[in-house]
Amino acid sequence: MAFESLSEKLNAAFKKLRGKGRLKEADITEAMREVRLALLEADVGFKVVKDFINTVTARSIGKDVLESLTPAQMVIKIVNEELCTLMGSENIKIAISPKPPTIIMLIGLQGAGKTTNAAKLAAYMRKNNSKNPLLVACDIYRPAAIEQLKTVGRQLDIPVFDMGTANPVEIAKAGVKHAEKSGNDLVLLDTAGRLHIDDALVDELKKIKATVSPTEILLVIDAMTGQDAVNAAASFNEALGIDGVILTKLDGDARGGAALSVKAVTGKPIKFSGTGEKLDQIEPFHPERMASRILGMGDVLTLIEKAEQAFDEKKAQEMTEKLMKNRFTLSDYYEQLTQVKSMGGLSSIAGMLPGIDAKALQGASFDEDLLKKTEAIILSMTQTERDNPGVLNSSRKKRIAAGSGTAVVDINRLLKQFEAMQIMTKQMTKGKLPAMFKGKGKGLFGM
């Protein structure tokens, strides 16, 4: 996950501060030296780091901090606030045109993820802003770019307008007219990219901008390319005047410097971040939440939002009542598995919880084969067997194994996991901490 190394180094520096009790100016200077090195290693721009350290140091050596009863916490609070400011302070939403359609022009270098994120953003705006999107294929140069856009469009049931390899400016113009006639109130233009910024690319993008007057121009940059992404952002902003950034691949092994530098360099906010390869893995970028995660304070608000999207409110209420009355069945168990899986990997969820060591769960995820086995086993049971697993004797298990294409040992493993889940829910209803958050062994559902 992005920022993992940075988070570790920052927390190591703050741990030393906490161990000192009262702080002297020399302690602050030493801590800021470690913070500066951590930021530079995370590929944050030198000038950005210099300004950040100067600001934090000036605030931290003040009388209110050094004479505080908890000076280390005050320093961390200042770092948190300045990280928020560095990344833009708050989430900036997509501007909506008062006269439909709203036109969003996506630009960026080749390989940054424009095509996929055009579709992701279209689906997000449809779901969360009740928009009726149209994708327009303006990249006529990259092989299979048009077909890729059509493929993701089909997967999300979003229409795609294309004119083959016609002039991209004419395609954009015709796409907007088609949206007006078809009642699409949101148009996303998937434009061409290059391996580097050149005059031909910039001229084409300028012509599209002049022709269709986009409501917003969003630059898609790859978080894993670090300062190269920031330099590209500065160049595109100078040439076209961007309105915001979509930062992709934040789930990868990225140092994160782009997220911390791009606002300071361009003055433009990061509006969305890509958090995975799946077409629903895009979310608004909240600087204060990202700063909290970098400093190991978790991101409970995003976790709650993910849970709200994954769990049906009425079903959740029914499930709560079942748990309280200890009527949790195997059917319920399978439903919970699939819903938690839709929220992302275990390490992703753990990283949003304060005090949980996400690194200990790095790479932990739901085994797809195991989930398929679980589904096959449960669906091969009768309703009576699902409601009361205690009736499962040897002959019943053999029948289920044959019907599900599994072995009796798989059924026994599932029953043990289900029993562990029941024990955990009993602990939760009694206010005890579930074992899934204790230690570093196998946790949730034995996964």
Side-chain angles (χ1 to χ4, degrees):
M1 183 67 186
F3 302 116
E4 184 181 300
S5 177
L6 174 61
S7 183
E8 286 180 6
K9 288 183 173 67
L10 291 180
N11 279 294
F14 296 144
K15 188 176 181 180
K16 291 180 183 178
L17 286 182
R18 292 191 191 100
K20 291 181 181 292
R22 290 282 184 178
L23 297 181
K24 299 177 183 178
E25 192 171 319
D27 297 324
I28 301 292
T29 303
E30 176 61 28
M32 288 306 106
R33 185 180 295 114
E34 293 186 29
V35 171
R36 181 175 65 248
L37 289 173
L39 290 170
L40 289 172
E41 287 178 14
D43 210 14
V44 182
F46 178 78
K47 185 180 183 305
V48 175
V49 173
K50 182 181 177 182
D51 293 343
F52 178 83
I53 294 298
N54 287 342
T55 303
V56 173
T57 302
R59 291 185 61 188
S60 297
I61 60 175
K63 182 179 178 181
D64 291 343
V65 174
L66 295 182
E67 295 185 4
S68 167
L69 292 175
T70 56
Q73 293 299 329
M74 293 289 285
V75 173
I76 295 170
K77 179 175 181 289
I78 290 169
V79 172
N80 183 49
E81 290 171 354
E82 293 303 324
L83 279 175
C84 289
T85 302
L86 189 62
M87 292 186 285
S89 297
E90 61 183 1
N91 173 251
I92 305 297
K93 298 183 182 297
I94 296 280
I96 303 298
S97 173
K99 182 183 178 182
T102 295
I103 304 169
I104 299 176
M105 181 176 167
L106 275 74
I107 65 172
L109 295 179
Q110 191 170 307
K114 288 189 302 300
T115 301
T116 302
N117 281 277
K120 285 185 177 184
L121 183 58
Y124 177 90
M125 295 295 287
R126 179 177 62 186
K127 180 179 180 181
N128 295 280
N129 296 73
S130 302
K131 293 298 175 184
N132 181 20
L134 174 70
L135 295 166
V136 180
C138 297
D139 183 356
I140 64 169
Y141 308 106
R142 181 170 65 87
I146 297 173
E147 192 54 43
Q148 182 189 352
L149 191 65
K150 287 181 177 179
T151 298
V152 291
R154 281 194 298 270
Q155 291 172 354
L156 294 168
D157 194 27
I158 294 174
V160 175
F161 177 85
D162 84 284
M163 292 168 53
T165 56
N167 186 299
V169 179
E170 294 302 318
I171 295 173
K173 184 178 179 181
V176 172
K177 286 186 178 180
H178 178 80
E180 291 171 346
K181 292 178 181 177
S182 304
N184 299 103
D185 55 4
L186 177 67
V187 176
L188 294 102
L189 307 177
D190 177 31
T191 67
R194 301 281 194 282
L195 294 176
H196 59 276
I197 300 173
D198 58 24
D199 292 340
L201 171 64
V202 171
D203 286 344
E204 182 178 288
L205 296 176
K206 283 181 177 179
K207 289 176 183 177
I208 293 175
K209 177 183 177 180
T211 302
V212 301
S213 301
T215 314
E216 291 222 341
I217 299 177
L218 297 183
L219 174 66
V220 181
I221 60 176
D222 182 346
M224 298 181 74
T225 58
Q227 281 307 296
D228 288 340
V230 178
N231 295 334
S235 298
F236 273 116
N237 184 48
E238 186 178 344
L240 289 157
I242 65 173
D243 297 290
V245 170
I246 297 178
L247 193 62
T248 68
K249 304 178 187 176
L250 261 184
D251 59 313
D253 185 21
R255 287 175 287 179
L260 293 174
S261 302
V262 69
K263 173 66 168 61
V265 172
T266 66
K268 307 300 181 181
I270 301 171
K271 296 199 173 187
F272 284 88
S273 58
T275 57
E277 295 181 1
K278 295 181 180 178
L279 293 176
D280 62 347
Q281 290 181 314
I282 187 172
E283 57 190 44
F285 185 84
H286 293 275
E288 72 283 4
R289 300 185 192 181
M290 186 57 70
S292 181
R293 292 179 71 174
I294 291 171
L295 296 178
M297 300 175 186
D299 182 3
V300 176
L301 286 175
T302 298
L303 181 60
I304 290 170
E305 288 172 0
K306 281 179 174 285
E308 286 176 342
Q309 292 170 6
F311 290 82
D312 180 87
E313 187 175 347
K314 184 178 179 182
K315 286 185 177 181
Q317 181 62 37
E318 292 173 355
M319 192 65 66
T320 301
E321 293 174 1
K322 285 184 177 182
L323 290 173
M324 296 298 290
K325 295 176 182 177
N326 199 25
R327 287 166 43 203
F328 192 72
T329 69
L330 276 166
S331 297
D332 299 324
Y333 173 70
Y334 174 70
E335 187 174 330
Q336 293 302 295
L337 277 177
T338 54
Q339 287 182 332
V340 174
K341 176 178 175 287
S342 70
M343 291 173 64
L346 294 181
S347 57
S348 172
I349 295 172
M352 298 178 196
L353 292 166
I356 299 298
D357 183 5
K359 192 174 182 181
L361 288 172
Q362 185 63 41
S365 61
F366 288 88
D367 187 324
E368 292 287 347
D369 291 335
L370 187 58
L371 199 60
K372 289 176 182 177
K373 279 186 179 180
T374 300
E375 180 180 23
I377 291 169
I378 293 175
L379 293 179
S380 295
M381 293 178 182
T382 65
Q383 191 63 50
T384 300
E385 290 166 342
R386 292 178 208 166
D387 294 341
N388 183 21
V391 303
L392 291 173
N393 54 27
S394 179
S395 61
R396 285 176 182 261
K397 288 178 182 178
K398 287 179 181 177
R399 188 203 81 238
I400 294 167
S404 59
T406 60
V408 172
V409 67
D410 295 319
I411 298 170
N412 289 333
R413 186 185 300 115
L414 170 60
L415 294 175
K416 282 184 180 180
Q417 290 171 357
F418 177 64
E419 185 180 346
M421 180 64 178
Q422 286 183 312
I423 292 171
M424 188 180 79
T425 55
K426 285 179 183 177
Q427 290 176 341
M428 290 175 70
T429 56
K430 292 177 182 178
K432 295 181 181 179
L433 181 67
M436 64 180 281
F437 295 142
K438 295 179 181 178
K440 296 184 179 181
K442 287 188 177 180
L444 187 62
F445 311 125
M447 300 296 177

